[in-house]
Amino acid sequence: MATDEMSDIRARILNDIAGKTAAEDLALSALSQPQRIPVMVDIMGFAKGTAKFACAKALLLLSESRPEAVYPYFDAIAKLLGSDNNIIKWDAALMTANLAPVDGENKFENVYNAYFALLDSDSMITAGNAVKYAWKIVMKYPAWESGITGRILQAAGRGFLYKGEPSPECGYIFAAGALDCFGRYFDISGSREQILDFARELVDCPRKSTAKKAELFLSAHG
């Protein structure tokens, strides 16, 4: 795409954002004008101000509903897993996982470590965004299931910090998200006993919603 054309598209996107165009409408515009997508990815990664977040929200919607439209820009999005901006990092994690089902070129293999390193974060939100759609990665690459399950269980056992202090509550919230993820691929898992043990430990969780989720999980899979 010529530089002048990119500049024109960028200006139109920024004008739409300034006019409070909803993320859903930005996404629809990108579907009808696919040349907008790489420009939106660039804005997400490098623009200053709120425009980057507007593009990230629209791209996230696209990655969920039409991943094949966003997949050509997999590499650029995956690079944002290392962003200094937490919100962009979190959105990049969700998008990267959303693109796994259409990863015909096996690009995820090159970013596996960068993606799952997010589970090593002391931040529950960072790790939680990595685990939310990890099941899509497992379904695409079932041979990775044991390693992915192990990393999720390791993260749950390690715990998280809140304002620099250990936070059991953050751990309980993460555990609930892990159960949601495990439930999506439990039937194909080779780690079923480890997952069931994890769920059993959560039945007496002080966070009632997590304990209830564990009970329901065991009812469905135990």
Side-chain angles (χ1 to χ4, degrees):
M1 192 186 306
T3 302
D4 288 347
E5 183 182 3
M6 287 188 68
S7 297
D8 180 61
I9 293 171
R10 183 185 182 92
R12 281 186 275 138
I13 292 171
L14 294 176
N15 185 63
D16 288 344
I17 293 169
K20 307 298 183 182
T21 298
E24 292 82 359
D25 292 327
L26 287 173
L28 286 172
S29 294
L31 278 180
S32 62
Q33 303 171 59
Q35 63 271 31
R36 281 185 166 226
I37 297 177
V39 180
M40 291 167 66
V41 172
D42 184 72
I43 292 172
M44 174 185 170
F46 301 105
K48 296 181 180 180
T50 59
K52 67 192 303 108
F53 306 117
C55 284
K57 189 173 182 180
L59 287 166
L60 180 56
L61 291 172
L62 278 178
S63 72
E64 291 171 345
S65 63
R66 293 288 297 276
E68 70 281 358
V70 184
Y71 180 67
Y73 314 102
F74 180 99
D75 292 337
I77 291 169
K79 283 181 180 179
L80 297 176
L81 293 169
S83 175
D84 292 333
N85 186 294
N86 280 330
I87 294 174
I88 296 303
K89 179 190 298 182
W90 301 334
D91 283 343
L94 297 174
M95 287 181 218
T96 304
N98 280 337
L99 298 180
V102 295
D103 185 21
E105 299 177 33
N106 297 323
K107 292 185 175 183
F108 203 98
E109 186 171 359
N110 296 325
V111 302
Y112 180 98
N113 289 331
Y115 182 93
F116 287 104
L118 299 179
L119 291 174
D120 300 330
S121 173
D122 290 331
S123 165
M124 180 274 295
I125 300 176
T126 297
N129 277 290
V131 82
K132 184 173 183 178
Y133 293 144
W135 60 271
K136 296 187 179 185
I137 302 165
V138 172
M139 298 303 288
K140 175 65 177 180
Y141 295 106
W144 297 352
E145 181 272 324
S146 177
I148 291 172
T149 299
R151 292 190 75 151
I152 294 171
L153 291 173
Q154 184 178 34
R158 188 191 66 249
F160 301 95
L161 302 180
Y162 178 71
K163 294 184 177 179
E165 297 294 330
S167 172
E169 188 72 6
C170 284
Y172 304 148
I173 295 170
F174 178 84
L179 285 175
D180 286 338
C181 179
F182 292 150
R184 292 283 195 158
Y185 65 79
F186 185 83
D187 290 343
I188 68 163
S189 174
S191 312
R192 289 190 286 274
E193 281 307 311
Q194 295 97 310
I195 292 173
L196 289 172
D197 285 343
F198 176 67
R200 292 182 189 114
E201 291 172 0
L202 292 170
V203 169
D204 296 321
C205 176
R207 185 177 175 86
K208 291 183 180 180
S209 60
T210 299
K212 182 64 174 178
K213 187 161 287 189
E215 291 175 4
L216 292 172
F217 187 95
L218 289 169
S219 294
H221 305 292

